[in-house]
């Protein structure tokens, strides 16, 4: 995800400073005009806005605060804006915002949906939490990447991404189970998918992930393990605010079972494989 985001920002005329834990990944972006640095601090020191695309909340916290003098926070300029595009728990986003504010720094949580394909095309859905003035300030960065929507205060962007991932994960399961039921009963899965396209059951999940299921193409675009992380983030958030989420709880267990059965490196549409196995349809 980070590489196409950097390429689009460079193409839009931004001077982009980059750091990656795997330096070779950063160096590959030099051909597009990016300037590579040895530490997050060094990259942040030459930037008015710092944008991160990292694995989870723990990694974001480490890069931002936990690397000693090399941490991004030590390089950020007075009044600098940190834009976190990782998918993390809302409470983690609020904590990061609070700790940055103590240093006179600004924060937006801005997770995205659309995957690598959306990043390459500049069609990401960007869900943003934080102050309205910071959202306006970040528009020149968001514009080349996709459609940004300000959804509320700090943490609200992560709430929106949690909702997105709940819907994606649950719908993948619904499509997989329905197509497998049809196959078990003797229908042609590909023709069933074609037949229900355009009706009330149609969705991008049916179109994209349903096609992957028909073709048994489970090369990872978004991994099963990442989908499991997102479902667990949703359940943790639900628990914190006293919300009962039985459907998400059920699907968290299904994804967990798939990961336990060795499917963690498959695309999240690989839940189909777990459900097929339960029905002896391998």
């Amino acid at each position: 995800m980070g590489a196409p985001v950097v390429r689009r920002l460079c193409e839009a005329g931004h001077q982009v400073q980059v750091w990656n834990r795997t330096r070779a990944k950063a160096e590959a972006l030099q051909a597009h005009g990016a300037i590579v640095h040895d530490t997050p601090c060094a990259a942040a020191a030459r930037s008015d806005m710092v944008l991160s695309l990292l694995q989870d909340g723990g990694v974001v916290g480490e890069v931002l605060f936990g690397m000693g003098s090399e941490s991004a926070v030590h390089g950020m300029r007075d009044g600098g804006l940190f834009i976190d595009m990782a998918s993390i728990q809302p409470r983690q986003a609020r904590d990061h915002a609070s700790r940055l504010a103590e240093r006179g720094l600004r924060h937006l949580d801005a997770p995205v949906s659309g995957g690598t394909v959306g990043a390459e095309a500049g069609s990401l859905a960007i869900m943003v939490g934080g102050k309205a003035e910071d959202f306006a300030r970040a528009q020149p960065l968001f514009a080349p990447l996709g459609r940004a929507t300000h959804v509320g205060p700090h943490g609200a962007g992560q709430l929106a991404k949690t909702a997105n991932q709940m819907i994606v994960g649950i719908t993948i399961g619904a499509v997989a189970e329905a197509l497998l039921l049809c196959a078990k009963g003797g229908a042609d899965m590909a023709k069933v998918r074609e037949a229900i396209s355009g009706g009330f059951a149609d969705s991008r999940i049916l179109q994209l992930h349903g096609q992957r299921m028909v073709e048994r193409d489970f090369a990872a675009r978004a991994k099963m393990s990442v989908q499991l992380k997102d479902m667990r983030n949703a359940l943790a958030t639900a628990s914190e605010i006293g919300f009962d989420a039985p459907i998400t709880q059920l699907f968290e267990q299904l994804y967990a079972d798939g990961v336990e059965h060795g499917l963690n490196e498959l695309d999240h549409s690989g839940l189909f494989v777990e459900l097929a196995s339960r029905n002896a349809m391998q």
Side-chain angles (χ1 to χ4, degrees):
M1 180 75 77
V5 164
V6 169
R7 289 196 296 267
R8 290 198 64 85
L9 290 174
C10 289
E11 289 168 2
H14 296 284
Q15 187 178 71
V16 183
Q17 320 294 320
V18 296
W19 171 84
N20 192 287
R21 289 173 291 176
T22 304
R23 185 179 175 89
K25 292 182 179 180
E27 290 177 343
L29 296 166
Q30 287 178 308
H32 301 277
I35 301 169
V36 179
H37 294 274
D38 293 327
T39 67
C41 177
R46 296 189 60 185
S47 307
D48 295 318
M49 291 182 275
V50 177
L51 188 153
S52 74
L53 277 155
L54 296 166
Q55 180 178 342
D56 55 39
V59 176
V60 174
E62 179 186 358
V63 171
L64 190 52
F65 303 110
M67 296 177 62
S69 61
E70 296 183 350
S71 302
V73 71
H74 291 298
M76 290 183 68
R77 302 172 180 177
D78 290 345
L81 174 60
F82 182 75
I83 305 169
D84 181 11
M85 302 188 88
S87 296
I88 69 175
Q89 295 183 27
R91 65 171 179 80
Q92 293 173 314
R94 292 191 294 269
D95 175 65
H96 296 164
S98 176
R99 293 173 68 181
L100 287 169
E102 291 172 359
R103 296 171 175 263
L105 301 170
R106 319 287 286 187
H107 174 277
L108 292 173
D109 49 289
V112 302
S113 181
T116 304
V117 172
E120 291 171 346
S123 60
L124 293 171
I126 309 169
M127 299 149 268
V128 187
K131 295 184 177 179
E133 57 266 33
D134 293 327
F135 175 72
R137 178 180 171 185
Q139 282 303 309
L141 292 189
F142 291 147
L145 305 180
R147 176 179 54 83
T149 304
H150 184 223
V151 296
H154 296 297
Q158 296 299 345
L159 276 172
K161 180 59 187 288
T162 295
N164 184 87
Q165 294 308 95
M166 290 165 70
I167 293 168
V168 168
I170 291 166
T171 307
I172 284 173
V175 169
E177 189 167 273
L179 292 180
L180 283 165
L181 172 71
C182 291
K184 187 80 169 182
D188 183 326
M189 281 202 322
K191 290 298 184 181
V192 169
R193 176 182 163 278
E194 180 183 337
I196 62 178
S197 294
F200 276 1
D202 202 359
S203 66
R204 290 189 69 186
I205 299 295
L206 177 67
Q207 294 303 318
L208 297 178
H209 295 78
Q211 186 63 27
R212 293 173 194 171
M213 294 170 194
V214 167
E215 296 175 353
R216 305 300 201 274
D217 173 15
F218 301 115
R221 288 80 164 178
K223 293 181 181 180
M224 285 274 287
S225 56
V226 173
Q227 184 67 55
L228 176 58
K229 177 209 73 171
D230 290 335
M231 300 307 260
R232 288 177 171 169
N233 279 348
L235 290 176
T237 300
S239 178
E240 288 169 10
I241 64 177
F243 180 80
D244 184 24
I247 299 172
T248 301
Q249 191 167 25
L250 169 62
F251 277 89
E252 183 274 337
Q253 185 59 58
L254 291 171
Y255 283 102
D257 289 346
V259 167
E260 183 178 342
H261 296 153
L263 308 181
N264 51 300
E265 294 297 316
L266 297 187
D267 186 78
H268 51 175
S269 59
L271 185 61
F272 178 95
V273 178
E274 171 64 22
L275 296 174
S277 178
R278 288 173 177 237
N279 286 282
M281 296 174 67
Q282 293 287 33

